[in-house]
Amino acid sequence: QQPVQSPQAVILREGEDAVINCSSSKALYSVHWYRQKHGEAPVFLMILLKGGEQKGHDKISASFNEKKQQSSLYLTASQLSYSGTYFCGTRSNDYKLSFGAGTTVTVRA
Amino acid sequence: DSGVTQTPKHLITATGQRVTLRCSPRSGDLSVYWYQQSLDQGLQFLIQYYNGEERAKGNILERFSAQQFPDLHSELNLSSLELGDSALYFCASSPDNRAEEQYFGPGTRLTVT
C-alpha cells in the first residue's frame, strides 16, 4: 500500500527550513528517501531502518518512528539545489518498495 | 551518472503494438527493478529480478513481462499497448536483493499514440 506524503508542495526562500512527512498504515521495515529533479531520474538520499534512527545527508536529515510508522525529512537552511520532488519509499517485510506521491519543493532566491 | 543505462531514451509507438525496454545495471549489482512513472500515478513498482530470478512483483499488468539475462541485463516487454501505458519507465539496480539503496537509470519515455 502506498505511503501518504504531506505536504504535496512547499515553496521556500533560501535559508528556510521545511519538513516533509511520510506515513504508512503497514508495519515498516525501512523508509527510503529519494529526490527527483525535473526531467531526471530519482536519486537516493538515505535509508532509515526500524529502530528510530536518524540520518543526515548534508543539511538534509530524517527520522523514523517505527511505532507510528512515520518518517519525516528535514530540510535545514535550504539551498537552491534542494529544489525537486521528494519521494518516500516504504518497505514492509517483503522486497517491494512502495513510493508516496511525492512532495514538490521549490526553493527561491 | 548512476551507472545504470537504459535504452532507448524515447519511444513513440501506436496502440496495439509491442515494445521492449532494455536496462543494464551498475557493474556488480545483482538486482534490477522496474518502475512506471506517470503524471497521475507517481512511481509505481512493477517487478524485481535478482540474479536472473523474479524476486518480487508489484502492480505489473499481465500485458507486461520482464526477464533478467545471465549477463544481468534486463528487458521489460510491453504488449498490446494502450494510450494509458504512456509513461516514463525507470530501471534501478542494487547490489543485493533487499531493495536497499537503489540506483536509477535515466528512464525510457514511452508515448503511445
Side-chain angles (χ1 to χ4, degrees):
Chain A
Q1 192 168 352
Q2 200 176 13
V4 176
Q5 281 186 243
S6 63
Q8 281 185 302
V10 59
I11 299 175
L12 304 165
R13 290 206 179 275
E14 265 188 302
E16 290 183 341
D17 303 338
V19 180
I20 300 170
N21 298 303
C22 173
S23 64
S24 173
S25 57
K26 294 171 70 172
L28 299 177
Y29 173 77
S30 60
V31 178
H32 308 222
W33 287 96
Y34 286 79
R35 177 173 63 204
Q36 184 178 28
K37 293 187 180 279
H38 184 68
E40 299 180 8
V43 173
F44 171 80
L45 292 176
M46 65 191 81
I47 294 175
L48 300 102
L49 303 176
K50 65 178 181 180
E53 64 176 298
Q54 190 152 347
K55 279 197 174 182
H57 173 84
D58 194 11
K59 287 185 179 174
I60 299 175
S61 61
S63 62
F64 176 25
N65 186 326
E66 64 179 288
K67 287 183 183 175
K68 293 185 178 180
Q69 285 103 252
Q70 292 176 350
S71 177
S72 294
L73 187 74
Y74 306 93
L75 308 181
T76 305
S78 58
Q79 305 167 17
L80 294 175
S81 61
Y82 286 4
S83 292
T85 300
Y86 290 78
F87 291 97
C88 76
T90 55
R91 184 159 82 82
S92 299
N93 58 355
D94 54 22
Y95 295 95
K96 304 175 192 178
L97 197 57
S98 296
F99 283 97
T103 296
T104 301
V105 173
T106 304
V107 181
R108 294 183 175 159
Chain B
D1 185 353
S2 66
V4 178
T5 60
Q6 288 187 249
T7 56
K9 193 171 173 127
H10 294 103
L11 201 47
I12 300 174
T13 189
T15 54
Q17 295 298 305
R18 173 189 168 93
V19 297
T20 298
L21 312 184
R22 184 188 167 105
C23 166
S24 291
R26 290 188 324 155
S27 176
D29 284 359
L30 298 178
S31 271
V32 168
Y33 311 80
W34 286 98
Y35 293 91
Q36 180 191 57
Q37 186 176 40
S38 50
L39 282 174
D40 58 345
Q41 293 279 330
L43 265 171
Q44 296 291 318
F45 168 70
L46 296 177
I47 197 163
Q48 178 201 357
Y49 278 83
Y50 173 71
N51 205 18
E53 295 196 3
E54 184 184 301
R55 193 70 169 123
K57 222 168 187 178
N59 303 319
I60 188 165
L61 299 172
E62 283 191 19
R63 301 183 285 108
F64 296 1
S65 65
Q67 53 184 328
Q68 186 179 29
F69 295 87
D71 67 351
L72 301 177
H73 91 270
S74 177
E75 293 181 356
L76 179 67
N77 300 296
L78 315 177
S79 61
S80 303
L81 285 168
E82 302 174 359
L83 294 177
D85 296 329
S86 294
L88 201 47
Y89 290 84
F90 285 108
C91 161
S93 73
S94 70
D96 53 33
N97 65 352
R98 293 175 296 153
E100 303 298 355
E101 184 172 341
Q102 296 183 24
Y103 296 87
F104 281 74
T108 292
R109 182 169 294 284
L110 173 67
T111 302
V112 182
T113 61

